[in-house]
Amino acid sequence: MNTLQFDFTVDKAAKTVHVSREFHAELPLVWDAFTKQEILDQWWAPKPWKSETKSMDFKVGGRRFYAMVSPDGQQKSWQIQDYTSISPKTNFKFLSVFADENENPNLPGSDWDLNFSEQNGITKVSITIYNDSLERMEKMIEMGFKEGFTMTLNELETLLKAKS
């Protein structure tokens, strides 16, 4: 069995994080996992935390408002994803910002650009995360973004295997 590609690169000069990951799953399934609330909430948080979406409207100009919830349910880290561009099954972009429970954004944020492609039943997701400030990016990395997002993508891999 081929080893699936996974790459996580930080480019401080460009204030950018690049993440690339392959999954043994067909493109429509992977796309749905990133764009449908009921699937997103099953994997979009590093365990034992979980994702709880309060509202989601996946369209240009739409928004996902969700929280990462601690195992005991006492801590909630709220975030907003404002969808800025959608090309079905190939690409979507959003502005991600931390927020409070009343949906008030805590700027600056980061611009996410997600690209999807499939070859021979393996879907590749390439994500570029551009941060408005180097300080925000460094804080994101210090908070364990690489470890947490790697765990989150592993959760997605497990979920995709179960659905395939």
Side-chain angles (χ1 to χ4, degrees):
M1 190 174 222
N2 294 345
T3 304
L4 295 176
Q5 185 252 343
F6 176 62
D7 184 48
F8 190 105
T9 310
V10 175
D11 182 345
K12 283 191 176 185
K15 298 182 283 200
T16 303
V17 175
H18 299 279
V19 182
S20 184
R21 176 78 183 251
E22 290 179 341
F23 299 96
H24 273 294
E26 293 185 358
L27 180 73
L29 183 59
V30 177
W31 176 264
D32 286 353
F34 277 86
T35 61
K36 293 193 172 173
Q37 174 181 334
E38 63 274 12
I39 305 174
L40 265 170
D41 279 345
Q42 295 179 53
W43 69 271
W44 188 265
K47 296 290 181 224
W49 288 63
K50 63 182 183 177
S51 171
E52 273 181 20
T53 299
K54 192 169 182 179
S55 63
M56 181 170 171
D57 189 10
F58 185 71
K59 67 179 187 184
V60 175
R63 165 178 284 190
R64 176 178 181 221
F65 180 52
Y66 71 101
M68 293 218 187
V69 183
S70 64
D72 62 8
Q74 297 303 304
Q75 283 182 282
K76 290 188 176 187
S77 174
W78 290 97
Q79 293 187 37
I80 296 169
Q81 294 174 345
D82 282 324
Y83 300 110
T84 55
S85 170
I86 298 171
S87 300
K89 306 279 194 277
T90 58
N91 170 273
F92 72 92
K93 299 176 184 178
F94 61 82
L95 171 66
S96 175
V97 294
F98 293 109
D100 66 17
E101 68 277 0
N102 297 313
E103 228 170 314
N104 296 306
N106 179 7
L107 298 169
S110 56
D111 289 299
W112 289 55
D113 184 351
L114 295 88
N115 288 285
F116 298 78
S117 61
E118 180 186 348
Q119 193 167 10
N120 302 324
I122 294 177
T123 298
K124 181 177 182 177
V125 181
S126 300
I127 305 169
T128 302
I129 306 162
Y130 173 77
N131 290 271
D132 292 337
S133 74
L134 182 60
E135 180 184 17
R136 183 188 192 280
M137 185 179 83
E138 287 178 334
K139 183 179 175 191
M140 188 175 91
I141 301 298
E142 282 169 24
M143 288 170 57
F145 178 74
K146 179 177 183 177
E147 297 77 10
F149 200 54
T150 299
M151 287 171 63
T152 298
L153 291 172
N154 289 340
E155 231 14 78
L156 173 58
E157 184 174 13
T158 301
L159 181 70
L160 291 170
K161 279 181 186 168
K163 289 187 177 288
S164 300

